Amino acid sequence: MAEDVITTTGIARHGATRLPSVDVDSFNIELKDEEGFLGDRASKGAFRKILDRWRRPLRKSGEDPFGEEPSDKISKKVLDDILVGDDTEASAIVHSAIEEFAQELAYVTRRFLKTKAWAKTERIVVGGGFRDSRLGELAIARTDIILKSEDFKIDMLPIRFHPDDAGLIGTLHLAPSWIFQAHDSILAVDIGGTNIRCGVVETGWKKAPDLSKASVWKSDLWRHADDEPTREGAVKRLVKMLKGLIAAADTEGFKLAPFIGIACPGVIDEDGSIEKGAQNLPGNWESSKFNLPSSLVEAIPMIGEHDTAVLMHNDGVVQGLSEVPFMQDVERWGVLTIGTGLGNARFTNRRKDNGKDNGRENSKNRDDKKDKDENRDKKAKQ
């Protein structure tokens, strides 16, 4: 099965450490301290536990402004509204939780920066569902200030795209650059422990060869956690979603590439199997008898007139890859994704032409230079 996958894709290895624009120095590191996995101290669930602790004293006196609502059931929107609302006590609770969470995130970040893989990191972007809120943005900004106060020469900022879009747009950076010269879009899949999201991603390559203008044209979301499907049932539903997007893209006249990029939790082996870290997915995705890329190629052997190629990588890596166009002023950078757990990846940019351009832009720049030279020659002859 593994050989079939590699032969069929023919463009790169799944979970590769060397990608068109960056080298992936590390991903999915699981650091521990005396209390357990560090990621558990800076996860979405960790923030809710902290919020609950700050509510506890007021709850005992019967003055909890949140009433009987469990902390894990209060929506991010409600918490965001409280931050700017008139209830100063409720706002103070949320601000206190943000501060404590930022201290935890700073602690975890320091531990990452002390590892060999994260040495000399210059910038960290923070993604995941927690980032998609005002309280998340404040926690990130506070963490940045804490680290700077301790003389860490590093910037920490929220990921640029909406986290849902970043998990799809990042798959563009798994694909070789030649794909973008003949096609204007690709299929992308972002698999999580709760949802599976698929989308048609417009490359925007003609406007920006560094892919900074990429966008999600259309997406489809399935909350598989509600349905509790079997593994085979989940794959079948995924295939149906992808075929629907292929049909929609064809109707709209998109030049869809014969390429499917996949973001998936866990450690992805080069044959497309999942070594570990997929425990929250429906069924056993770590089985030696299961290979998602191979299953998709079998179900969708062609897109348009070409054989389908599939590439899969860790979801934290893929979300981070959406930031590649905006990280060209640094050399080493990382991503932390705050969700059910704490995803992580560290990158080193691959540069050519004395660091002025990355690999993707070079072909476009050469074409532009050729056109300028030809125009100059014509003027000289005239």
Side-chain angles (χ1 to χ4, degrees):
M1 182 181 290
E3 292 180 357
D4 290 342
V5 175
I6 295 172
T7 301
T8 302
T9 58
I11 52 178
R13 294 182 295 112
H14 303 286
T17 57
R18 189 170 180 81
L19 298 173
S21 298
V22 297
D23 288 327
V24 183
D25 303 310
S26 73
F27 70 91
N28 207 48
I29 293 179
E30 294 180 333
L31 300 179
K32 290 183 177 180
D33 62 8
E34 61 278 1
E35 296 181 15
F37 287 106
L38 285 183
D40 294 337
R41 298 181 60 158
S43 65
K44 183 172 60 177
F47 175 81
R48 298 296 174 157
K49 289 180 181 178
I50 292 170
L51 176 65
D52 201 62
R53 281 203 303 271
W54 282 102
R55 292 176 59 190
R56 201 170 296 158
L58 295 179
R59 192 181 300 141
K60 288 181 180 179
S61 63
E63 299 175 358
D64 184 353
F66 294 96
E68 299 295 325
E69 187 74 7
S71 294
D72 60 351
K73 299 298 183 183
I74 303 172
S75 71
K76 289 182 292 185
K77 185 181 185 307
V78 168
L79 294 175
D80 283 353
D81 289 343
I82 285 173
L83 287 172
V84 295
D86 296 329
D87 190 333
T88 55
E89 199 163 56
S91 180
I93 289 176
V94 179
H95 276 289
S96 298
I98 290 172
E99 174 63 24
E100 185 175 339
F101 183 82
Q103 294 288 347
E104 291 292 313
L105 182 57
Y107 169 77
V108 172
T109 303
R110 285 193 292 269
R111 288 290 303 271
F112 273 104
L113 294 173
K114 289 178 181 178
T115 65
K116 184 177 180 180
W118 280 68
K120 299 181 179 179
T121 300
E122 300 162 76
R123 188 175 297 156
I124 297 175
V125 292
V126 182
F130 186 73
R131 174 261 178 270
D132 182 32
S133 61
R134 183 61 177 166
L135 64 94
E137 292 176 345
L138 287 173
I140 295 165
R142 182 68 186 112
T143 305
D144 180 61
I145 293 170
I146 292 169
L147 293 172
K148 282 185 168 63
S149 72
E150 298 171 350
D151 293 327
F152 281 92
K153 294 178 173 56
I154 192 165
D155 293 318
M156 177 174 278
L157 63 160
I159 203 163
R160 195 168 307 250
F161 293 106
H162 188 285
D164 292 342
D165 289 347
L168 299 176
I169 290 172
T171 63
L172 287 171
H173 297 273
L174 298 176
S177 58
W178 57 262
I179 277 182
F180 308 119
Q181 298 179 25
H183 306 91
D184 57 15
S185 54
I186 70 164
L187 288 172
V189 179
D190 187 7
I191 299 170
T194 303
N195 303 315
I196 291 179
R197 186 183 302 273
C198 303
V200 174
V201 179
E202 290 187 77
T203 67
W205 187 79
K206 290 185 177 179
K207 294 180 181 177
D210 64 354
L211 303 177
S212 60
K213 300 295 185 182
S215 61
V216 178
W217 169 68
K218 185 180 181 65
S219 64
D220 192 4
L221 175 69
W222 172 39
R223 189 177 169 86
H224 65 77
D226 294 340
D227 296 342
E228 299 182 358
T230 63
R231 185 183 66 199
E232 288 68 26
V235 173
K236 186 176 180 180
R237 178 69 177 266
L238 172 56
V239 168
K240 182 179 179 180
M241 292 164 71
L242 288 171
K243 287 183 176 179
L245 289 169
I246 292 171
D250 183 61
T251 300
E252 288 296 318
F254 280 100
K255 296 178 181 177
L256 192 62
F259 177 85
I260 304 173
I262 305 174
C264 186
V267 177
I268 312 302
D269 287 336
E270 64 179 67
D271 66 349
S273 60
I274 303 174
E275 184 177 327
K276 62 177 180 177
Q279 62 272 10
N280 293 324
L281 302 183
N284 181 13
W285 289 50
E286 298 172 20
S287 168
S288 59
K289 297 179 181 179
F290 177 67
N291 188 292
L292 178 61
S294 181
S295 297
L296 292 183
V297 169
E298 183 178 348
I300 308 174
M302 297 185 72
I303 297 176
E305 299 177 354
H306 302 281
D307 293 340
T308 301
V310 179
L311 273 180
M312 185 164 75
H313 217 306
N314 172 264
D315 54 351
V317 170
V318 172
Q319 194 163 142
L321 289 175
S322 69
E323 285 286 318
V324 165
F326 316 108
M327 293 292 143
Q328 296 309 301
D329 58 329
V330 295
E331 185 176 357
R332 303 175 185 89
W333 55 282
V335 62
L336 297 175
T337 59
I338 303 174
T340 306
L342 184 70
N344 60 85
R346 218 295 289 265
F347 307 96
T348 297
N349 286 331
R350 294 178 55 204
R351 294 241 175 90
K352 298 179 181 179
D353 296 342
N354 296 321
K356 294 179 181 178
D357 300 301
N358 66 32
R360 287 197 187 283
E361 294 177 305
N362 286 340
S363 62
K364 175 69 173 173
N365 291 340
R366 283 195 294 269
D367 291 341
D368 291 344
K369 184 177 184 301
K370 182 180 178 182
D371 291 341
K372 289 178 181 178
D373 290 343
E374 289 176 352
N375 289 334
R376 187 180 62 242
D377 292 342
K378 287 180 182 178
K379 289 179 180 180
K381 290 178 181 179
Q382 291 173 353

